[in-house]
Amino acid sequence: MKKLIIISCFLSIVGFVSLSFRSEKVINKNYPTLPKDSVGSTKAFMSVYKVLMSARCMNCHPSGNTPLQGDDSHLHTMNVTRGLDGHGVYSMRCSNCHQAENTAGLHMPPGNPKWGLPPANMRMVFQGRTPRELALQLLDPKQNGGRTKAQLIDHMANDALVGWAWHPGEGRTLPPMSRPAFAAQVRLWIAKGAYAPSAKIK
Amino acid sequence: MITITVNGQRHDIEADPNMPLLWVIRDILGLTGTKFGCGAAQCGACTVHLNGEAVRSCVTKINRAAGQNIVTIEGLSANNNHPLQLAWNEMSVPQCGYCQSGQLMSAAVLLRENPNPTDQDIDDAMSGNICRCGTYQRVRAAIHKAAAMQTEGVKS
Ligand code: FES
Ligand code: FES
């Protein structure tokens, strides 16, 4: 009996640990190796930055614990808060209003099965970051959700919640370039050496 | 045909899968305690529990509720004796009453997850429930009271 308890404790710990480290699937290298080119890499990142700082991306990567809303990125009405898992608190969970798909109509809640903010222990803030700060943050596995460069590209290119930004429902402006164009710039940024823009670039 | 369980009772519903759960609850099942305020997830009047979560039934399609458990204000307790209902009554929280079943359903989730909420916890949980009559101060006081009653062992 004792043995059984110990084994089941061990198993649940293993389960917990693997859950909390659950990361994106392993991705083989999905970008070409190009000659290092700090100018070209930085230039590609600057177009990536414009997308990430557009309302559709930044609104769920706020500097505080309240998501943002609208093309003017105002604080989400109703005092919505992040919560530990990024999906709200108590009776204010994201999915209480946000469905698995956009609700039709102007000013109706947008939706996605994964709707939410990054979790409290991995906040992935975009709002207020300079290009240099954001580039370094995106490349740092301790701040990017444990992602390798290949996983970062895959996330930007294929993740369904990221993809929502290009299908945001009525009345919401799209990011400044298409998703394939965006993914291509991410790939280029990394393939040419993943340089962070100089601190002087705003 | 979509089967849902409402307040412990199974119902087979003949309806468009896109029909809002609120319509089903009010118009098909005749449970009118849940209110329609805005129809846009903005006010909280239509809050019900879907598998224990305080969803807004005006934007929740019946499709999402298929095979799931729904609790409305009519099913919150057996005899209107949930600690929140007792505290609400004792402190005369409602004014016009329109928002109140939504307030109670939201507060019930808060108290279940946090038996001793602070003012901040109450704000975090309740600020999506709009009250046109401005009963917010009494809502907050009654939640504190219900929390105390719950700790003292008033059974729901
Ligand atoms: S009627 Fe559903 S939130 Fe207002
Ligand atoms: S009591 Fe009238 S709207 Fe709240």
Side-chain angles (χ1 to χ4, degrees):
Chain A
M1 187 63 193
K2 213 170 171 188
K3 221 175 176 181
L4 237 158
I5 292 175
I6 292 173
I7 292 175
S8 57
C9 276
F10 177 73
L11 280 180
S12 48
I13 289 171
V14 170
F16 249 121
V17 169
S18 53
L19 251 186
S20 50
F21 280 87
R22 190 183 52 127
S23 179
E24 314 264 299
K25 54 185 183 300
V26 179
I27 308 268
N28 293 329
K29 193 158 175 272
N30 54 5
Y31 53 94
T33 312
L34 300 176
K36 292 220 177 218
D37 167 9
S38 63
V39 173
S41 174
T42 306
K43 190 165 165 248
F45 181 77
M46 286 312 291
S47 13
V48 171
Y49 181 74
K50 279 203 190 77
V51 171
L52 299 184
M53 298 308 267
S54 73
R56 295 296 80 74
C57 299
M58 190 181 75
N59 283 2
C60 287
H61 291 266
S63 56
N65 277 327
T66 297
L68 310 172
Q69 274 182 320
D71 284 355
D72 62 351
S73 299
H74 58 269
L75 292 177
H76 195 305
T77 53
M78 307 162 200
N79 186 34
V80 172
T81 37
R82 180 190 307 267
L84 288 179
D85 64 356
H87 293 276
V89 293
Y90 308 125
S91 41
M92 297 278 279
R93 304 278 296 166
C94 304
S95 57
N96 291 352
C97 297
H98 297 276
Q99 308 296 314
E101 64 289 310
N102 294 332
T103 299
L106 204 54
H107 305 305
M108 297 298 272
N112 181 276
K114 301 203 289 181
W115 197 264
L117 300 181
N121 63 0
M122 185 64 71
R123 301 187 330 133
M124 303 189 215
V125 174
F126 293 178
Q127 189 185 19
R129 295 284 190 260
T130 63
R132 180 177 182 77
E133 286 167 345
L134 190 54
L136 294 174
Q137 173 181 312
L138 288 172
L139 293 167
D140 176 7
K142 286 203 201 70
Q143 297 185 74
N144 76 5
R147 295 184 174 93
T148 61
K149 292 192 179 85
Q151 285 170 325
L152 193 62
I153 292 174
D154 185 61
H155 180 74
M156 307 263 206
N158 302 317
D159 180 83
L161 182 54
V162 172
W164 169 87
W166 285 273
H167 305 278
E170 254 179 85
R172 297 179 190 96
T173 307
L174 293 173
M177 68 180 73
S178 74
R179 190 175 199 193
F182 167 67
Q185 292 300 312
V186 178
R187 210 169 282 119
L188 206 58
W189 167 47
I190 289 178
K192 290 189 167 177
Y195 285 91
S198 111
K200 284 186 217 119
I201 299 178
K202 293 271 164 348
Chain B
M1 178 91 75
I2 295 171
T3 304
I4 58 176
T5 303
V6 181
N7 302 332
Q9 238 180 307
R10 275 173 57 112
H11 298 274
D12 294 326
I13 308 288
E14 206 66 73
D16 185 317
N18 288 325
M19 182 182 279
L21 178 58
L22 178 61
W23 297 13
V24 176
I25 291 171
R26 287 184 56 91
D27 296 355
I28 298 183
L29 301 180
L31 296 167
T32 53
T34 307
K35 302 301 183 203
F36 175 92
C38 64
Q42 295 285 331
C43 75
C46 65
T47 306
V48 300
H49 296 176
L50 174 66
N51 299 335
E53 297 290 354
V55 302
R56 297 186 172 206
S57 59
C58 67
V59 289
T60 303
K61 292 171 180 167
I62 173 78
N63 219 0
R64 179 176 168 194
Q68 314 297 313
N69 262 314
I70 294 135
V71 175
T72 68
I73 186 68
E74 290 88 349
L76 182 61
S77 63
N79 300 303
N80 294 333
N81 60 348
H82 187 287
L84 283 164
Q85 289 168 307
L86 299 177
W88 243 243
N89 203 6
E90 216 169 287
M91 305 191 74
S92 300
V93 174
Q95 186 164 321
C96 81
Y98 202 79
C99 71
Q100 298 290 333
S101 60
Q103 303 277 2
L104 283 160
M105 297 312 278
S106 287
V109 170
L110 166 66
L111 271 201
R112 184 191 66 213
E113 293 180 7
N114 182 346
N116 192 17
T118 61
D119 280 353
Q120 184 62 54
D121 297 331
I122 294 175
D123 288 353
D124 287 348
M126 301 300 296
S127 46
N129 284 82
I130 310 300
C131 174
R132 197 176 58 173
C133 303
T135 61
Y136 302 110
Q137 302 302 325
R138 291 203 296 275
V139 166
R140 175 190 277 177
I143 291 175
H144 281 306
K145 183 164 197 78
M149 290 161 89
Q150 196 173 256
T151 331
E152 284 156 22
V154 177
K155 290 275 175 300
S156 58

